[in-house]
């Protein structure tokens, strides 16, 4: 059954918490009128997480997308009123540091805030005490103050949005318990409740911690773990505001004591204290009582005083005045955690028309709802959502056991100082390539991505790092890094190296019409003879970059596509016409990149086919044998050196590795990890989708206009790109740090003229150029090579220069051999 047109689409939203109410408001504001919100409890406080949430909004989050969600939530709720009072109270926010590590992290957070447009300043202990006189300043290194943060009055915000959405035609029905989801031919058709069935073209699960319950009814796995979180309220404190103040009873900034996993807010003369310091308390959403059966409300569980006792001691340590008070009341409130701590926003992989708006806290509620509304009404979100996309989790990552393990870890790490490269500890290993045992023998240092164990470097190459003379890194930049990375990069430049490409997604697109299908979805010209490899882009209808691909034409109607994520697989499958089949080859195959100036000397003796320049040119592919192993060989390089990507079936992977390893012995071949690959690709100017460019960027500003061929005919995004090449206002540029000893990691603000004008997307030490190399987004006024800028890194401003790309161009002598 095809989806209804936007003018008559029937939408059912399940859940009238802050997300469901915000979504109904956003949808009706965009002209969708047939919107029904179903809620099992009474309105306007039906008993989910929204009903008990303390409403703290600290805008600066761990990602740019979450930060912008929070900024929109602040903006929207500030403009909403209920009973004459705004739904957001900007009391400000204060995070204090009692350790050197936290104080350094607050400097890093201040730089992230500047990068993402959030106002704030670092304070001395004495300045912190002006905001919170109860603080024991002798414990403090300092604090981070954000004047625009504050308290979202969640239930009043729901009331205000219910009124607005209702005025536009939406209806809100409480006391309707969902009992089933109807579906036909892979598409949702309705919602069954205990009070009747509601036909639907779109169903949105905004059910909070009941998300897995609703998902199960639809045959959709929702990787979400409900956990209880402690919140206590003190007896009246004379140091706090007396009755008669603002509706939320708060006059002082929100206070976070993250070194002890605590936060504080005022409640009309009392102090509310939230704690993440206790043992994890997972909750089975299938067993949560109904509203009328719950002692207080479904999301409010009995307070466990013994669990809170250590937090009370820590709170009185920071705020000694609490020693004269006591806990007057408390509860364990239930809310949601995903395996990576990010929301689930978008259409579910398993069922067309079934949308997820789950694992969203009040902090990000309006921003997340707007994003889902944009996806539903326009097919495009203003913000990059790839880190929130439900497709980001692979099959094993969607299992209840995985969600429970990683969701618990997300809870425990809420206030931890987490390095951007820090891998989770369990469950590992989850996905390994056929080369895993060989990599372990070589001392691989594994990080994780998409569940895959990915070598970052190999300790066996440590002797190669001797004598490199690399400057020492600071403690933060030295985590999950080794000078061996530079040695492996140099070995690739000078000799040849083997790279594990197995985690890179491989898809098969086959059948009559496959060429026309791929031509329409991608930007480059794919109508080339079999055996050709083409770099191309997937765009959305607005010209934003959904992904970048390599497309290998194997025969007239068979293609192998190198993609980025499961979202690419879903995108292709959902657009494939009858007769065109899209399959995921990744689990049953593996790959090795053989790259370096001696790559031909390594592979040619193993093959009967001609691997010379004339016999095997750039961006060509063929099926052949290397020793006893059948492979698909593609002359493609992501490191800017001569070489091939070699793919075979997983059962032959070990033999392929051993065959290549033995052949490379006399050439000084090494195994090289992801660290070296990033170093080399940055020096060559190669982009990494999801880091350097997303749907927020178009090909021309990203420096990828060469992959766009408007003359080939119509393709998705073509119309939106018209005129943009001549109207670029920002560019993705290459920066080199002036000091060879300086290093950045990504997301740092870029300053020019004393103001933050852009931000770093990815960075690594460039072993060839001898300094840190970064990609960054800058306005065109600052994008010219030679422009001097500064990068904010913790408490420093590091000098950098916009550089001409590529920094290293070995193709003249090597790639074209």
């Amino acid at each position: 059954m095809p989806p209804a047109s936007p003018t008559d689409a029937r939408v059912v939203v399940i859940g009238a918490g802050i997300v469901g109410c915000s979504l109904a408001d956003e949808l009706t504001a965009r002209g969708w009128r047939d919107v029904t919100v179903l809620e099992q409890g009474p309105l306007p406080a039906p008993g989910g997480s929204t009903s008990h949430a303390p409403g703290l909004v600290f805008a600066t989050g761990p990602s740019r997308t979450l930060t912008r969600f929070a900024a929109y939530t602040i903006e929207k709720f500030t403009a909403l009123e209920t009973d004459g009072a705004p739904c957001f109270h900007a009391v400000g926010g204060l995070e204090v540091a009692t350790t050197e590590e936290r104080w350094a992290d607050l400097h890093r957070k201040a730089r992230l805030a500047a990068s993402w447009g959030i106002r704030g300043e670092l304070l001395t202990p004495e300045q912190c005490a002006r905001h919170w006189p109860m603080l024991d300043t002798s414990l403090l290194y300092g604090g981070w103050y954000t004047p625009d943060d504050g308290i979202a009055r969640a239930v009043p915000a729901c009331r205000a949005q219910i009124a607005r959405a209702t005025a536009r035609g939406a209806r809100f029905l409480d006391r309707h318990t969902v009992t089933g989801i109807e579906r036909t031919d892979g598409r949702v058709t309705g919602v069954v409740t205990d009070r009747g069935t509601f036909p639907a073209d779109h169903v949105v699960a905004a059910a909070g911690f009941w998300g897995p319950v609703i998902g199960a009814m639809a045959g959709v796995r929702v990787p979400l773990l409900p956990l209880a979180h402690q919140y206590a309220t003190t007896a009246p404190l004379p140091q706090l505001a007396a009755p008669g103040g603002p509706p939320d009873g708060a006059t002082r900034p929100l206070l976070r004591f993250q070194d002890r996993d605590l936060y504080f807010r005022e409640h009309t003369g009392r102090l509310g204290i939230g704690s993440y310091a206790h043992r994890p308390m997972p909750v089975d959403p299938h067993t949560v009582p109904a509203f009328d059966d719950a002692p207080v409300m479904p999301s409010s569980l009995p307070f466990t005083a013994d669990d809170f006792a250590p937090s009370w001691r820590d709170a009185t340590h920071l705020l000694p005045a609490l020693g004269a008070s006591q806990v007057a009341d408390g509860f364990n409130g239930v809310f949601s955690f995903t395996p990576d701590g990010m929301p689930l926003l978008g259409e579910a992989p398993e069922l067309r028309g079934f949308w997820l708006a789950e694992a969203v806290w009040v902090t990000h509620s309006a921003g997340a709802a707007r994003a889902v509304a944009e996806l539903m009404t326009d097919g495009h979100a203003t913000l990059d959502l790839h880190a929130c996309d439900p497709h980001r989790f692979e099959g094993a990552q969607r299992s209840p056991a995985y969600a429970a393990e990683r969701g618990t870890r997300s809870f425990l790490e809420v206030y931890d100082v987490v390095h951007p490269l820090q891998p989770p500890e369990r469950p590992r290993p989850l996905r390994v390539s056929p080369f895993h045992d060989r990599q372990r023998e070589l001392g691989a240092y594994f990080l994780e991505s998409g569940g895959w164990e990915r070598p970052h470097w190999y300790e066996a190459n440590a002797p190669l790092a001797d004598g490199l003379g690399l400057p020492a890194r600071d403690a933060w930049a030295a985590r999950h890094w080794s000078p061996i990375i530079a040695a492996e990069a140099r070995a690739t430049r000078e000799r040849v190296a083997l790279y594990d490409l197995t985690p890179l997604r491989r898809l098969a697109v086959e059948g009559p019409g496959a060429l026309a299908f791929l031509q329409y979805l991608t930007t480059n010209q794919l109508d080339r003879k079999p055996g050709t490899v083409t770099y191309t882009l997937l765009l959305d209808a607005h010209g934003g970059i959904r992904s970048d691909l390599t497309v290998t034409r194997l025969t007239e109607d068979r293609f192998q596509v190198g993609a980025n994520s499961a979202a690419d697989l879903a995108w292709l499958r959902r657009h494939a016409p009858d007769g065109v089949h899209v399959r995921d080859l990744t689990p049953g195959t593996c790959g090795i990149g053989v790259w370096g100036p001696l790559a031909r000397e390594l592979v040619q003796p193993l093959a009967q086919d001609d691997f010379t320049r004339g016999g095997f040119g750039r961006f060509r592919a063929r099926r052949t044998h290397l020793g006893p192993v059948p492979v698909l060989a593609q002359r493609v390089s992501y490191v800017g050196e001569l070489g091939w990507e070699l793919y075979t079936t997983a059962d032959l992977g070990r033999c392929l590795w051993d065959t290549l390893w033995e052949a490379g012995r006399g050439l000084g071949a090494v195994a090289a990890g992801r660290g070296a690959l990033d170093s080399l690709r940055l020096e060559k100017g190669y982009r990494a989708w999801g880091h350097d460019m997303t749907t927020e960027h178009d090909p021309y500003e990203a420096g990828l206009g060469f992959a766009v061929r408007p003359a080939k005919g119509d393709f998705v995004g073509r119309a939106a790109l018209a005129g943009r090449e001549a109207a670029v206002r920002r560019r993705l540029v290459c920066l080199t740090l002036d000091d060879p000893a300086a290093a950045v990691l990504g997301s740092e603000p870029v300053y020019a003229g004393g103001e933050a004008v852009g931000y770093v997307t990815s960075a690594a030490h460039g072993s060839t150029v001898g300094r840190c190399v970064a990609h960054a987004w800058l306005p065109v006024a600052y994008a010219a090579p030679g422009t001097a800028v500064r990068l904010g890194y913790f408490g420093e401003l590091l000098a950098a220069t916009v550089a001409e790309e590529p920094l290293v161009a070995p193709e003249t002598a090597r790639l074209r051999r």
Side-chain angles (χ1 to χ4, degrees), residues 650-719:
D651 60 316
L652 292 169
R654 174 77 73 85
C655 186
L656 176 61
W657 178 279
D658 290 346
T659 298
L660 295 170
W661 187 255
E662 184 62 31
R665 283 183 180 275
L667 302 172
V670 302
R674 180 74 191 191
L677 186 147
D678 274 335
S679 170
L680 295 166
R681 67 100 179 165
L682 281 162
E683 289 185 329
K684 187 63 177 66
Y686 291 151
R687 277 66 170 127
W689 183 84
H691 296 278
D692 298 323
M693 73 280 193
T694 68
T695 53
E696 294 184 24
H697 312 106
D698 73 43
Y700 301 119
E701 57 192 13
L704 299 174
F706 66 87
V708 180
R709 294 287 184 269
K712 76 169 185 173
D714 194 23
F715 56 83
V716 174
R718 180 176 181 266

Side-chain angles (χ1 to χ4, degrees), residues 13 84 102 182 230 274 318 358 652:
V13 179
R102 182 69 60 181
E182 293 185 333
Q230 291 199 295
L318 181 71
E358 294 289 2
L652 292 169

Side-chain angles (χ1 to χ4, degrees), residues 60 93 110 113-114 117-123 144-148:
T60 308
I118 303 298
R119 293 196 306 154
E121 60 177 326
L122 292 164
L123 304 181
W144 162 243
Y145 174 66
T146 46
D148 300 321

Side-chain angles (χ1 to χ4, degrees), residues 562-638:
N564 283 296
S565 71
D568 296 340
L569 172 63
W571 182 258
L572 293 177
R573 280 179 170 169
R574 290 191 172 181
H575 288 82
D578 291 342
V580 174
H581 305 283
V582 181
R583 296 183 293 115
D584 188 0
L585 303 174
T586 314
T589 57
C590 59
I592 298 175
V594 179
W595 293 321
L598 302 182
R600 182 173 286 117
E601 282 83 342
L602 192 154
V603 297
Q604 182 63 84
L606 299 173
Q608 293 183 343
D609 288 313
D610 185 359
F611 274 70
T612 64
R613 176 187 175 187
F616 204 142
R618 296 178 67 205
F619 298 105
R620 298 291 297 170
R622 69 162 61 117
R623 293 199 180 277
T624 184
H625 285 78
L626 295 180
V629 183
V631 299
L632 172 64
Q634 301 180 164
R635 190 170 165 196
V636 176
S637 171
Y638 194 48

Side-chain angles (χ1 to χ4, degrees), residues 225-275:
L225 178 70
L227 285 143
H229 159 63
Q230 291 199 295
Y231 193 79
T233 307
T234 69
L237 289 164
Q239 296 89 344
L240 299 181
D248 50 55
T251 59
R252 300 191 185 283
L254 309 174
L255 178 64
R256 288 208 283 196
F257 182 21
Q258 293 177 298
D259 289 322
R260 290 295 182 269
D261 297 314
L262 295 173
Y263 64 82
F264 308 83
R265 61 151 289 187
E266 289 181 275
H267 291 282
T268 313
R270 301 171 186 265
L271 191 63
I273 308 171
S275 172

Side-chain angles (χ1 to χ4, degrees), residues 60-80:
T60 308
S63 78
R64 182 170 176 269
T65 296
L66 288 184
T67 297
R68 294 176 72 182
F69 282 170
Y72 179 73
T73 300
I74 292 171
E75 176 188 343
K76 182 177 184 179
F77 288 1
T78 299
L80 290 177

